[in-house]
Structure formats: structure tokens, C-alpha cells
Amino acid sequence: MDFVEGEILAFDKPYHWTSFDVVGKTRWLLCHHLHTKKLKVGHTGTLDPLATGVVVVCTGKKTKLISQLQYDTKEYVATLQLGATTPSFDLEKEIDYTYPTAHINRALVDATIPSFLGEQWQVPPAFSACKVDGKRAYELARKGEEVELKPKLLVIDEIEVLAFDETNMQLTLRVVCSKGTYIRALARDIGQKLNSGAHLIALRRTRVGNIHVEECMNFEQFEQLLNNETQSI
């Protein structure tokens, strides 16, 4: 593999890692492998720290493709906890409000979810990488500052109910969507549409473009790949 001319690598991001952690680890391993201090490495789309799954990384000259690859369609499997919200819309923050759920059943869920198909205007979460006056929104939100973000137009190509646990009020969805979709914000909006509240308790990105999570490497496998390359020289 020629990492300077450029390679496109796909990793299964571990839980609690940021996308920048994935880039940093990749760069460190490659610089060590190539005996160089500098190498261009970048990812093609941020994935939340509390999510796992596909993160696509470009190296060398193929970093020029990043702006193009960012538009690849993404697929997620998300589990929502209905009846409660958090300020971050996921498990990063503690529950701030609880809501009635006695009226929610499978029939209501099945009637509500299809309304999220197609073009949607979505307000990004305050705890996000969106920029406000040159700063990341999450930096301001974590300081307790008010963050006002404008709605963005996105497209949800597919949304499917995979499971609904009516006892625990947990809803699992498969979502295929465009660049810029925040699944945490989708959870918030679904909760509101159900006349309740919701937040994410699990999220896995299962596909980016034609790259499926089953094809992705973890970092042990990547290190082994680099070791094999070194031994074959």
C-alpha cells in the first residue's frame, strides 16, 4: 500500500473515541511505519464519541478526495429511549426532563416514523461540531453558554423500525440519510412527534457509501497489516 500517494482506509470506530482520535492514531502508526514526521491524514465525516462504526480515513494525496467523499450516503442503527431527554440528546449528559409514554404503542410508532422520510429541516444539536462565530458549538454548550443554530436541509432516504420494546420504551431504527444528518437531533424530533421526549442510548454507523461496517478494520488489524508490510520488505 502506498500511503503517501494515498489510500482510503475504513475503520470501525471504538466507543468513546472521537473521529479525530481515529485520524490521530492512524497518522501516528503510519508515520512510525514510514519513518516520517509528517503525513496528510483526514476523515470524511465526523462520528460522535458515543457512537461506533464506519469512519473513512484518507491518507496522502487522497486527502484531496475528502470534500467529495463527505457527500456519501450514510446508514445507521440507532436505539432511542422514549420518555426522557438529555441536553446532548444522547448519554453524554444526564436526563433533564421526563415525559408521559402511556399513549405510545407500536401502532403510533408505525404511523409516526414514515413522516421523517424525504427532505427535512433539522436544527443541529448544541453539542455538535457546527461552528458558531468561529467556535465549535459543543465548546460553547459544555461551558453552559446558550447556542442557537439554524435549521439545515437534509434528506432521509430510508427509515425503518427494527424493534420496539413497549415495556422499556426503547425504539431501534435503521436510518439511511444524507451528509449533515444528526441522528441525535432525529431522536429529539421523533420524541416530540410522539408527544413525548427521546434521546439516543446507542448508535452504530453501519455504512458510508459502499463501505459496510463488516469490511472495516479495528486498530489491532491495522497494526498487523503494517507489520506484515514491514516484514515483506
Side-chain angles (χ1 to χ4, degrees), residues 5 20 58 82 97 99 131 153 160-161 201 209 217 226:
E5 279 300 310
F20 294 108
C58 297
L82 305 181
Y97 297 104
Y99 300 84
K131 287 194 174 181
L153 185 63
E160 174 189 6
V161 177
I201 58 173
M217 296 181 285
L226 295 178

Side-chain angles (χ1 to χ4, degrees), residues 184-205:
R184 287 181 288 129
L186 178 63
R188 170 203 63 201
D189 296 342
I190 288 172
Q192 292 173 352
K193 200 75 174 277
L194 290 169
N195 294 314
S196 185
H199 64 281
L200 274 186
I201 58 173
L203 181 63
R204 185 157 176 77
R205 186 191 276 166

Side-chain angles (χ1 to χ4, degrees), residues 57 82 179:
V57 172
L82 305 181
K179 173 185 182 292

Side-chain angles (χ1 to χ4, degrees), residues 18-160:
T18 67
S19 300
F20 294 108
D21 290 335
V22 173
V23 169
K25 180 72 169 180
T26 305
R27 184 186 292 112
W28 185 87
L29 288 170
L30 287 175
C31 286
H32 180 75
H33 174 67
L34 298 170
H35 306 291
T36 184
K37 292 184 178 180
K38 289 184 179 181
L39 180 68
K40 286 185 177 181
V41 181
H43 67 76
T44 69
T46 303
L47 185 59
D48 288 341
L50 299 187
T52 63
V54 185
V55 171
V56 178
V57 172
C58 297
T59 77
K61 294 179 181 178
K62 287 201 175 172
T63 54
K64 294 176 182 177
L65 298 176
I66 286 175
S67 58
Q68 173 186 333
L69 295 173
Q70 284 176 336
Y71 286 91
D72 281 346
T73 298
K74 293 155 181 85
E75 179 186 70
Y76 298 88
V77 172
T79 300
L80 286 61
Q81 178 64 59
L82 305 181
T85 57
T86 73
S88 57
F89 310 146
D90 64 5
L91 295 176
E92 180 181 337
K93 295 292 182 180
E94 297 292 322
I95 290 171
D96 53 2
Y97 297 104
T98 57
Y99 300 84
T101 58
H103 63 287
I104 301 175
N105 54 31
R106 180 60 188 255
L108 179 61
V109 167
D110 286 344
T112 301
I113 294 303
S115 68
F116 289 92
L117 271 172
E119 289 189 343
Q120 307 280 326
W121 285 99
Q122 184 186 80
V123 178
F127 289 80
S128 68
C130 293
K131 287 194 174 181
V132 179
D133 297 329
K135 294 184 178 180
R136 297 292 184 185
Y138 63 76
E139 295 174 354
L140 301 173
R142 285 170 184 157
K143 291 177 182 177
E145 297 182 29
E146 287 290 324
V147 178
E148 189 172 332
L149 296 170
K150 294 179 180 179
K152 294 185 177 181
L153 185 63
L154 53 90
V155 179
I156 296 179
D157 296 304
E158 299 177 46
I159 186 165
E160 174 189 6

Side-chain angles (χ1 to χ4, degrees), residues 208-224:
V208 173
N210 294 321
I211 299 172
H212 294 258
V213 70
E214 294 82 7
E215 305 162 21
C216 294
M217 296 181 285
N218 58 40
F219 276 96
E220 287 183 7
Q221 292 168 325
F222 186 51
E223 287 187 63
Q224 187 58 54

